[in-house]
């Protein structure tokens, strides 16, 4: 080994516990199924010849959508629970320190970093401020909107008096009409799809260019730091 080469010690912090990591990948899978099946529900495949009962393609698509929706909701409820019982990083998805001036200062730095206006990335144990903001807005708030609007539309099929109708039936007259709820649900899907694409891009980019690991962290739970500088 060449002793003249600078020695950089890699440090690690255990950030994401196993239940949180499992939620992340289950959530990713359910969102993928929801997006694909939701798109096909909004833009159905061409009609196939013969009896509908011989194919039942749309039935399977709708079943996949509804099943993935229930998984998404159950996982979301578990994620709320884990925010209370998990470690200090598990509640970031539901808290946003917008009252701290340092948060906005660091947020601006992250925006400039992603815009290639900063030469030096910062180091964070949990989410960086920009990722933190988008996770709360898209996953938490956006996820709640999709759950509420989705079950409101679902209540039209389960019928009056069902628990879906009693809990979410009010959404349709509140928004206006069924088609309005469907529109918001549809556009919510596209917002989440765009976020997922940006999320994957930034995770890969940060793994290469930043001073800490991202993708491997959501697999192992350990945040690896590439240098010892603050």
């Amino acid at each position: 080994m060449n002793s003249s080469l600078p020695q950089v010690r890699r440090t690690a912090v255990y950030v994401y516990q196993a239940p949180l990591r499992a939620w992340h990948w289950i959530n990713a899978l359910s969102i993928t199924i929801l997006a694909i099946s939701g798109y096909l529900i909004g833009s159905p495949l061409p009609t196939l010849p013969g009896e509908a009962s011989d194919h039942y393609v749309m039935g399977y698509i709708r079943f996949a959508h509804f099943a993935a929706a229930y998984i998404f909701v159950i996982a979301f409820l578990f994620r709320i629970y884990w925010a209370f019982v998990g470690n200090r990083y598990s509640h970031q998805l539901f808290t946003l320190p917008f009252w701290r001036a340092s948060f906005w200062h660091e947020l601006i730095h992250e925006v400039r970093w992603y815009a290639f206006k900063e030469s030096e990335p910062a180091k964070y144990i949990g989410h960086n401020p920009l990722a933190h903001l988008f996770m709360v807005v898209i996953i938490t708030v956006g996820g709640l909107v999709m759950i509420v609007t989705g079950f409101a539309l679902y209540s039209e099929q389960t019928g009056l008096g069902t628990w879906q109708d009693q809990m979410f039936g009010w959404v349709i007259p509140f928004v206006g009409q069924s088609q309005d709820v469907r529109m918001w649900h549809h556009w919510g899907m596209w917002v989440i799809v765009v976020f997922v694409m940006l999320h994957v891009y930034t995770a890969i980019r940060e793994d290469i260019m930043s001073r800490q690991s991202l993708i491997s962290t959501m697999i192992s739970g350990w945040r690896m730091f590439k240098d010892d500088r603050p």
Side-chain angles (χ1 to χ4, degrees), residues 46 48 52 57 63 66 73 83 125 150 167 198:
L48 297 174
V57 175
F63 174 79
F66 298 153
V73 172
I125 297 178
M167 292 186 63
L198 292 174

Side-chain angles (χ1 to χ4, degrees), residues 106-180:
E106 294 170 1
L107 177 67
I108 293 172
H109 179 275
E110 288 302 305
V111 172
R112 289 180 54 82
W113 163 247
Y114 284 114
F116 298 96
K117 296 295 185 180
E118 293 284 349
S119 59
E120 181 77 1
K123 292 171 68 175
Y124 297 98
I125 297 178
H127 293 302
N128 70 59
L130 185 61
H132 190 178
L133 175 64
F134 272 88
M135 292 294 284
V136 171
V137 172
I138 304 299
I139 299 300
T140 304
V141 179
L144 282 172
V145 170
M146 295 300 285
I147 290 171
V148 170
T149 55
F151 272 104
L153 294 171
Y154 190 47
S155 70
E156 292 185 307
Q157 301 174 47
T158 58
L160 296 174
T162 59
W163 68 265
Q164 294 92 341
D165 175 63
Q166 293 177 351
M167 292 186 63
F168 303 99
W170 59 270
V171 175
I172 294 176
F174 177 80
V175 174
Q177 58 178 332
S178 177
Q179 190 57 36
D180 294 328

Side-chain angles (χ1 to χ4, degrees), residues 183-218:
M183 180 192 70
W184 285 109
H185 193 71
H186 182 79
W187 279 108
M189 177 198 74
W190 283 114
V191 170
I192 293 176
V193 166
V194 172
F195 166 77
V196 168
M197 291 189 292
L198 292 174
H199 178 62
V200 172
Y201 161 73
T202 54
I204 296 173
R205 179 184 186 270
E206 290 300 280
D207 245 10
I208 298 171
M209 299 180 63
S210 77
R211 298 159 62 195
Q212 59 263 315
S213 64
L214 264 79
I215 297 175
S216 61
T217 301
M218 197 47 71

